[in-house]
Amino acid sequence: MKYSRIGSARNRAQYGFTPAPSLIITLLMLMATRFSLSLSAHFCLKTPAFSRPTTKNLLQCRSCPLWSSSFALCLHTLPKSTPPSPHHRRKTIAVRSFCPAPGSISDHPTKMSTTTSDDNPLLKDFYFPPFDSIEAKHVRPGIRALLKQVDEDLEALEKTVEPTWPKLVEPLEKIVDRLTVVWGAVNHLKSVKDNPDLRSAIEEVQPEKVAFSLKLGQSKPIYNAFKAIRESPDWESLSDARKRIVDSQIKEAVLSGIALEDDKREQFNKIEQELAKLSQKFGENVLDATKKFEKLITDKKDIEGLPATSLGLAAQTAVSTGHEKATAEDGPWIITLDAPSYMAVMQHAKNRTLREEVYRAYINRASDGDLDNTGIIDQILKLRLEKAKLLGYNNYAEVSMAMKMATVDKAEELLEKLRSASWDPAVKDLEDLKEFCKSQGAPEADDLNHWDITFWSERLCESKYELNEEELRPYFSLPRVMDGLFSLVNMLFGINVEPADGLAPVWNNDVRFYRVNDSSGSPIAYFYFDPYSRPSEKRGGAWMDEVVSRSRVLSLDGASTRLPVAHMVCNQMPPVGDKPSLMTFREVETVFHEFGHALQHMLTKQDEGLVAGIRGVEWDAVELPSQFMENWCYHRDTLMGIAKHHETGESLPEDIYKKLLTARTFRAGTLSLRQLRFATVDLELHAKYVPGGSESIYCVDRRVSKRTQVLPPLPEDKFLCSFSHVFAGGYAAGYYSYKWAEVLSADAFSAFEDAGLENEKAVKETGHRFRETVLALGGGKAPLEVFVQFRGREPSPEPLLRHNGLLPATASA
């Protein structure tokens, strides 16, 4: 398969991971969503992942895929920028949330010296964001003071700008970084510690933030200076990274409306403001609708089949809502739409009526009453189309693809190739499931519905492979999984990860903080890890996001490069009683996935902050490292090093490991089609749908589903109303990126297979090459060139189809 290059793209998806966009785009993106991820579910132990980002603003998180009809957001929005350097400090505001140089913070890890009489933590100097002290009351005055300062800095730059790196790019990076670090910290808290006061504060200052971002993106002096660099005699002597920055800034400026006449630019800016509001409201409605559903159960018969871990969680939820005497054994129990609770019901509840009620509630989240997102979707699609027309494009999909590897045609071509390969296996999946149900005497065997599929798939998996997800949980305790993950990256990439709790403030007591050291023991990066579900305040899914990026310009001491900082957020089951968090295999994959994003952010060797790490990486390439890391969950040494019984220390039996490998392709066709449905309906809505026309958004989904779903969705299925990746994140006309990058990641892992997975020396050598290319080069080189530099050739879809057991591809619907 050929990957077309389009300009010098620099969008980033997030964890959601999204490829990092330009400076201007980063600012806008931060207002939307983050980078969240879920894993592709290729076999029975993998249940749908829940998540994910935003695209057209500066940096974002990456959201992760929706691996089933139930989904949320996964890694991918992008990074939030980096703070200014020490010598760029202002009298009233000195936001330096950057990582100090190695060894410079050992004595006072969270030292803060205020540069103003105000006690506002957003306006203080800090090495790491003061997550423990930022409150809603700080947002309005803090952001407004900051906006005032960066606006003055922008005006000063416009008066003195010259087409040179020190007079243009460096001061511009400082302006952007200063705001994005603080704004990123505030938005991060909204994702993990949501409350009405914080929402209200962000909603009030967001238009002012958008207005500044638009002013910055439409600055003619800055745009002209970048064009002058591009046209100067010194152009050819610039590094690849600097050329990418210049090309990206010029292209982003055009996509930000800089070339529009005054009246059209005013219209464009109004659209951007309204889209920011609508996207925020969409995400809030999904969160509120998810929290709103609670099913109180008092009769043991109604929860028959649920495993002990799930009953413990349901009882804990009941206790937290006022049922103080609730226990796992005797109840009462509360079922929610939060991923651990929802999936437990869909997989294990024998009560078919309960499964149906919970399933219907899930697929219809945010689709009625005050939380109905239908009108918001229509308005978003209408405004995106208007924006595309203003910019001279036929549709919004073309705008989206302008900053990606693919074109609309190439994306559709890949999706159809995968659909064709997946259809017959998916038909066989359903036939096998029906036969199994009949063999078990299930009354619903001749009338299988969506709330039956996951339950009976789990039973078939148990029967076929003698695997039981819940019975595997004791082998995957979170501490052991993290130790195994850190051992793997030490072997592959020569880094050491060590706990550094207490070094940086955190937003919740469950959050862990880590330092990443090179082989000499010197720190090269830091990251936060927030593992557990908190449905009352934390959005669903899993994601990685940037706290600050690597940067030469924003060095703390003026000499060393500023070190990158990331955070990883998951939503797995918390510890119950005196047991550690015991993970499903899917949750293990999710952690590996998000850490793949974090590795690209933390192991970058780019010193140009605008293309360091995940910044500047095309959106449809950014999932490469994350999906690559999932493959190691099936690597024998890695898995056996992780899978130890939390009580006895017993290793996972060898025969169970072999069954896991065999089961990897279980229902791969069905799961592939599900992802293809999401990707295809996303492209249809942004390339062909006419808002207000003869088709509704639901008609489009029904039409797409005829070719991508063997079991058609329910007529009342309104999953689009909770499709946060696309309507509250950065995946608009970009959800195909998961499959596009999955081709890249599977082919990248095949390099290790070719070298010999049992040959540690060869694996280390290949790992070093992967680190020096995919992880080190960041957005400083086009992703196709980076891939070819690592692999020695262009990518092929064959390894992906082989890994998924979908070769050969023969039939279509």
Side-chain angles (χ1 to χ4, degrees):
M1 153 180 148
K2 297 286 185 182
Y3 284 79
S4 60
R5 301 182 227 185
I6 301 182
S8 67
R10 52 196 180 81
N11 283 352
R12 34 182 228 164
Q14 189 213 8
Y15 40 46
F17 258 178
T18 330
S22 74
L23 290 179
I24 292 77
I25 298 265
T26 303
L27 287 173
L28 291 173
M29 286 199 322
L30 278 176
M31 299 177 325
T33 22
R34 271 189 206 51
F35 191 36
S36 51
L37 286 216
S38 319
L39 306 164
S40 67
H42 292 335
F43 76 52
C44 57
L45 294 190
K46 294 192 188 176
T47 57
F50 305 68
S51 59
R52 44 330 237 166
T54 82
T55 82
K56 179 131 198 273
N57 308 134
L58 256 200
L59 295 171
Q60 286 194 292
C61 267
R62 318 184 181 267
S63 278
C64 291
L66 319 176
W67 293 112
S68 85
S69 56
S70 21
F71 59 84
L73 289 182
C74 149
L75 220 317
H76 306 287
T77 290
L78 273 189
K80 309 168 176 178
S81 275
T82 40
S85 65
H87 53 276
H88 194 65
R89 217 177 278 173
R90 293 280 175 177
K91 293 180 180 179
T92 54
I93 301 174
V95 179
R96 295 196 344 264
S97 22
F98 45 86
C99 260
S104 64
I105 58 175
S106 56
D107 296 328
H108 34 67
T110 59
K111 181 186 75 171
M112 297 181 192
S113 59
T114 183
T115 57
T116 171
S117 58
D118 195 346
D119 289 332
N120 194 323
L122 297 176
L123 303 182
K124 293 182 179 183
D125 286 348
F126 49 76
Y127 292 135
F128 301 110
F131 288 122
D132 59 340
S133 57
I134 299 173
E135 298 178 22
K137 65 182 181 182
H138 301 128
V139 173
R140 293 177 180 86
I143 296 298
R144 283 176 173 147
L146 194 55
L147 286 171
K148 181 176 184 296
Q149 186 61 66
V150 294
D151 188 62
E152 292 175 1
D153 290 346
L154 174 59
E155 291 181 359
L157 173 60
E158 289 178 325
K159 293 176 182 177
T160 60
V161 67
E162 297 177 12
T164 67
W165 220 255
K167 294 288 188 178
L168 169 61
V169 184
E170 293 180 3
L172 180 61
E173 182 181 346
K174 291 172 183 176
I175 291 172
V176 172
D177 192 85
R178 176 177 300 185
L179 182 55
T180 52
V181 168
V182 177
W183 185 255
V186 169
N187 272 275
H188 173 66
L189 287 176
K190 184 176 180 293
S191 293
V192 296
K193 204 171 182 178
D194 184 50
N195 63 72
D197 291 341
L198 184 59
R199 279 190 189 184
S200 175
I202 291 175
E203 182 177 350
E204 187 173 320
V205 297
Q206 179 171 277
E208 299 164 47
K209 163 71 163 49
V210 175
F212 174 77
S213 299
L214 289 168
K215 180 178 179 180
L216 177 61
Q218 295 169 357
S219 169
K220 285 288 180 65
I222 291 176
Y223 174 64
N224 290 333
F226 273 115
K227 287 205 300 182
I229 290 179
R230 181 67 179 84
E231 295 161 3
S232 73
D234 298 328
W235 171 252
E236 291 304 327
S237 65
L238 292 183
S239 66
D240 287 346
R242 290 192 171 188
K243 286 180 179 177
R244 290 262 293 175
I245 289 171
V246 173
D247 283 341
S248 295
Q249 291 298 322
I250 292 172
K251 194 159 200 175
E252 286 291 0
V254 173
L255 292 176
S256 296
I258 198 165
L260 298 177
E261 298 298 327
D262 290 346
D263 56 338
K264 289 187 176 180
R265 188 183 310 128
E266 183 179 349
Q267 183 184 355
F268 179 92
N269 291 349
K270 287 180 179 178
I271 289 173
E272 292 288 72
Q273 286 281 11
E274 187 62 21
L275 283 172
K277 292 178 187 176
L278 291 169
S279 292
Q280 177 167 309
K281 182 61 176 173
F282 184 99
E284 290 174 354
N285 284 350
V286 174
L287 178 61
D288 290 345
T290 303
K291 291 194 298 184
K292 185 178 180 181
F293 179 90
E294 287 187 356
K295 174 72 173 177
L296 177 65
I297 297 176
T298 57
D299 190 335
K300 274 189 177 182
K301 293 180 181 178
D302 292 337
I303 46 86
E304 187 179 355
L306 289 183
T309 51
S310 302
L311 293 175
L313 177 63
Q316 278 189 177
T317 304
V319 170
S320 69
T321 58
H323 300 274
E324 298 177 359
K325 297 182 179 180
T327 65
E329 295 77 18
D330 301 316
W333 306 271
I334 287 184
I335 302 299
T336 71
L337 298 182
D338 198 47
S341 179
Y342 171 79
M343 282 313 305
V345 171
M346 300 315 297
Q347 284 179 291
H348 302 293
K350 294 182 179 181
N351 185 338
R352 193 184 187 209
T353 302
L354 175 64
R355 296 200 308 266
E356 178 179 358
E357 179 182 357
V358 173
Y359 177 81
R360 287 182 181 276
Y362 197 89
I363 62 169
N364 286 299
R365 287 177 302 158
S367 65
D368 60 10
D370 294 340
L371 302 178
D372 191 352
N373 273 336
T374 303
I376 291 177
I377 294 174
D378 283 329
Q379 189 64 11
I380 287 175
L381 292 173
K382 177 175 178 289
L383 291 173
R384 285 175 176 169
L385 181 58
E386 287 182 18
K387 174 178 167 180
K389 299 287 189 181
L390 281 173
L391 293 173
Y393 290 90
N394 293 313
N395 53 64
Y396 186 80
E398 293 180 357
V399 177
S400 173
M401 298 295 184
M403 301 301 292
K404 293 181 172 67
M405 291 178 71
T407 62
V408 176
D409 289 344
K410 288 294 183 182
E412 290 177 342
E413 179 184 330
L414 173 64
L415 295 180
E416 175 55 26
K417 181 178 293 187
L418 297 178
R419 190 204 69 82
S420 177
S422 303
W423 182 263
D424 279 1
V427 170
K428 183 69 163 54
D429 288 344
L430 186 58
E431 291 173 351
D432 290 347
L433 201 58
K434 288 179 178 179
E435 286 302 315
F436 176 73
C437 287
K438 288 179 182 178
S439 73
Q440 301 301 302
E444 61 264 36
D446 293 323
D447 183 33
L448 280 185
N449 218 313
H450 292 277
W451 47 86
D452 303 314
I453 300 300
T454 303
F455 175 81
W456 284 109
S457 295
E458 193 70 18
R459 307 291 79 75
L460 175 57
C461 182
E462 292 168 357
S463 172
K464 188 173 183 178
Y465 303 105
E466 297 179 335
L467 286 172
N468 182 293
E469 184 176 57
E470 288 301 315
E471 291 177 3
L472 290 182
R473 275 190 192 268
Y475 290 95
F476 297 117
S477 68
L478 177 62
R480 174 76 70 173
V481 169
M482 298 307 290
D483 287 345
L485 174 59
F486 297 157
S487 295
L488 172 66
V489 296
N490 172 259
M491 186 267 290
L492 290 176
F493 309 128
I495 59 173
N496 295 292
V497 182
E498 63 181 24
D501 293 316
L503 190 64
V506 296
W507 52 92
N508 184 281
N509 289 336
D510 290 332
V511 177
R512 302 273 71 86
F513 190 69
Y514 294 92
R515 174 170 42 229
V516 180
N517 300 323
D518 62 19
S519 56
S520 70
S522 299
I524 55 175
Y526 302 85
F527 70 95
Y528 304 82
F529 180 41
D530 184 353
Y532 308 131
S533 169
R534 295 189 300 275
S536 64
E537 63 176 11
K538 182 179 176 183
R539 73 177 174 89
W543 64 94
M544 170 271 164
D545 206 350
E546 169 187 315
V547 181
V548 300
S549 73
R550 180 179 172 94
S551 173
R552 170 187 54 81
V553 171
L554 295 167
S555 164
L556 177 64
D557 58 11
S560 304
T561 300
R562 182 182 67 178
L563 303 183
V565 184
H567 50 65
M568 283 171 53
V569 183
C570 294
N571 266 286
Q572 65 198 54
M573 188 176 293
V576 176
D578 58 356
K579 294 182 179 180
S581 175
L582 301 178
M583 305 168 68
T584 65
F585 190 74
R586 181 192 63 82
E587 288 171 338
V588 174
E589 290 179 298
T590 299
V591 168
F592 273 60
H593 181 119
E594 302 307 335
F595 199 61
H597 286 303
L599 286 170
Q600 188 173 37
H601 176 61
M602 297 189 295
L603 300 191
T604 185
K605 292 189 176 180
Q606 285 288 357
D607 289 339
E608 297 292 344
L610 301 186
V611 289
I614 52 180
R615 293 184 175 190
V617 178
E618 280 77 347
W619 196 286
D620 41 12
V622 79
E623 294 294 335
L624 194 172
S626 55
Q627 295 180 152
F628 164 82
M629 286 299 295
E630 292 181 39
N631 289 283
W632 293 100
C633 295
Y634 297 90
H635 178 235
R636 187 187 183 285
D637 291 347
T638 300
L639 184 63
M640 299 304 278
I642 287 174
K644 307 283 186 183
H645 197 284
H646 76 101
E647 291 177 338
T648 67
E650 172 194 3
S651 295
L652 185 74
E654 181 70 22
D655 64 318
I656 298 295
Y657 167 66
K658 291 179 179 177
K659 290 173 183 176
L660 278 173
L661 290 185
T662 306
R664 184 177 186 180
T665 59
F666 180 70
R667 294 181 60 76
T670 298
L671 295 165
S672 175
L673 283 184
R674 182 163 287 168
Q675 284 298 96
L676 294 171
R677 172 195 176 189
F678 299 144
T680 305
V681 75
D682 169 39
L683 278 183
E684 286 276 329
L685 289 173
H686 290 97
K688 300 173 184 177
Y689 174 69
V690 179
S694 58
E695 274 193 317
S696 71
I697 56 173
Y698 304 116
C699 291
V700 174
D701 183 38
R702 299 292 176 274
R703 176 162 50 77
V704 167
S705 295
K706 288 180 180 178
R707 290 175 55 77
T708 57
Q709 296 292 103
V710 177
L711 183 64
L714 299 178
E716 62 271 30
D717 184 336
K718 295 185 177 179
F719 99 92
L720 288 172
C721 287
S722 56
F723 201 171
S724 298
H725 282 68
V726 167
F727 299 111
Y731 281 87
Y735 197 85
Y736 78 90
S737 298
Y738 282 107
K739 285 301 181 185
W740 188 275
E742 201 174 354
V743 169
L744 298 172
S745 64
D747 200 353
F749 187 74
S750 72
F752 290 81
E753 295 174 321
D754 293 347
L757 291 174
E758 305 308 316
N759 184 337
E760 185 170 327
K761 181 175 183 293
V763 167
K764 286 183 176 180
E765 290 173 353
T766 310
H768 176 76
R769 196 166 74 250
F770 187 87
R771 178 181 175 179
E772 295 302 308
T773 53
V774 176
L775 300 181
L777 296 176
K781 181 173 282 194
L784 181 59
E785 295 177 22
V786 173
F787 185 91
V788 171
Q789 188 172 333
F790 166 67
R791 197 68 179 94
R793 57 165 174 74
E794 292 196 0
S796 163
E798 188 274 337
L800 173 61
L801 295 174
R802 174 169 51 84
H803 288 169
N804 289 353
L806 297 176
L807 284 178
T810 53
S812 60

